[in-house]
Amino acid sequence: MKLGFFTANLAHLSLEEVARVASENGYEMLEIPSYIGNGQLDCDEIISGGAAGLKKMAASYGLGISALSNHADSMLILGCNEETDALFKGTKEEKIKYGTDSLVKSAQAANALECPVVNGFTGIANFGRYFPFPNGTGWAEQEKAFVERFTPILDKCMEYGVKFAMEPHPNNIIYDIHTAKRALELLHNHPAFGFNLDPANLTYLGLKVENFIDVLGSRIFHVHAKDAEVVEHNIQMGGVLMHGDWQRLDKSFRFRIPGWGDVPWKKVLTELSLVGYDYVLSYEHEDVTMSVGDGVEKVAAYLKPLLIKAPYEGRKDKIFNIPAGD
C-alpha cells in the first residue's frame, strides 16, 4: 500500500505547490479534485493535451496520481434540489446534466492521465426517505433514479477504462453496508462501480469499518485516510447526528486525522490486506481541532510505519506443507 495526499487539503495552493509539500513529507500519490472550478485541475485542459505535463510534474516529485475527485458535482445527479444550490444553482434537469457531464468529463480526464479511479458521491433528493414515513415508496423511487442516471455514466467509465468509486456517506443513496450491497444489486454488479472507503464516514453512523471491508472488499477501489471520534462525554447530550458547528466544544462527533480518533487502523489495514487491497490510503483533512500543516506531518508519521508492503508468503517448511488428510 502507498500513502496518498488529497490535494484539496491545500486548495489555496497550486497543484505543484501541493505536490512539493506532499513529496517533502513522504507521501507517494496524489488524489486531485476534478469538479468544475476547483482551482487546481481543469478537466478540459487535461483532455485537450495537458495530461502529459501534469504527469511529468507529479513524477518530478516522485508522485503518482491515485484518483480524481468529483465529490462536489456528482452530488447533483441525485441531489438535484435546493439543498445543493451552493454547488450549482439551476433547475432539476440542469443540475442532473451539470453533474453528469462533469463526472463523465472526470472519467475522460482520468483516462488521459492513466489514472484508474474517479471518486465521488451520488447525492440524494431527500435523505429522510430512508425512513418509510410518510412516503413508503420514497426510497424505491430514489433507487429507480439511481439506476437510470448512473448506468449510462458507468458505461462511459467502462469506455474510458476508468472505475467510479462512490464514497458511502450520509445524504447519499449509499451510506452503509446494506445500501452498498443494494447498489451493486441494482446495477447488476456493473464492473465500473465500486467504493471509495472513508472509515470516518462509517464510524459516524456506528458501523465497524472491518465489516464493510470483509463484505465489500472486492469493490473497494480507493481508500481515504480519515479518522473519526465519537466524543464519549458529549454523546449523551447530542447523539452522533447532532447538528451545529463542527467546532462546537460540546459536539458529539468530530472528524479527526488518523491516530487521533476511534478508527482501529491496524485492524483496518489488516482486513484491507486480507481482501487483497494493495493501492492507496489517501489522507483527507477534515479535523477541526488542528491545522492541515499539523496533519501533513502527523498523518505521515503515524500511518507510514503501519502500511503493509506485501501479503503473507506462507510457511515453506515441512511441517506446514503436510498434504490435506495426512
Side-chain angles (χ1 to χ4, degrees), residues 115-175:
C115 167
V117 181
V118 175
N119 296 331
F121 289 136
T122 63
I124 195 76
N126 182 349
F127 187 66
R129 287 178 177 167
Y130 79 93
F131 187 73
F133 174 82
N135 180 4
T137 63
W139 199 259
E141 293 166 6
Q142 293 297 294
E143 289 185 339
K144 183 173 183 290
F146 168 64
V147 173
E148 290 176 349
R149 295 175 199 170
F150 273 88
T151 299
I153 295 171
L154 295 170
D155 289 344
K156 279 291 184 183
C157 287
M158 283 283 290
E159 180 183 329
Y160 296 123
V162 173
K163 294 181 178 180
F164 175 59
M166 189 275 160
E167 183 175 325
H169 191 290
N171 270 340
N172 287 271
I173 200 167
I174 302 161
Y175 57 90

Side-chain angles (χ1 to χ4, degrees), residues 217-273:
S218 65
R219 291 291 179 142
I220 296 174
F221 299 152
H222 198 263
V223 178
H224 271 173
K226 193 174 83 191
D227 212 325
E229 176 189 9
V230 177
V231 187
E232 296 293 340
H233 59 277
N234 289 336
I235 196 73
Q236 297 303 317
M237 296 189 292
V240 294
L241 296 179
M242 175 181 171
H243 298 291
D245 192 318
W246 288 101
Q247 289 185 291
R248 286 178 59 168
L249 184 62
D250 63 352
K251 189 77 172 177
S252 55
F253 178 88
R254 298 168 183 149
F255 287 122
R256 305 303 309 272
I257 64 166
W260 287 65
D262 298 328
V263 173
W265 287 100
K266 289 182 180 179
K267 292 181 179 179
V268 167
L269 291 169
T270 296
E271 298 307 305
L272 285 170
S273 177

Side-chain angles (χ1 to χ4, degrees), residues 1-4 28-31 64-68 114-119 165 195-196 220-223 269 272-273 276-282 307-308:
M1 299 182 201
K2 294 183 178 180
L3 187 61
E28 302 166 274
M29 303 286 279
L30 299 176
E31 176 186 357
I65 301 171
S66 69
L68 299 186
E114 299 179 290
C115 167
V117 181
V118 175
N119 296 331
F195 305 103
N196 176 50
I220 296 174
F221 299 152
H222 198 263
V223 178
L269 291 169
L272 285 170
S273 177
Y277 182 83
D278 188 25
Y279 193 37
V280 175
L281 295 180
S282 181
L307 295 182
I308 296 171

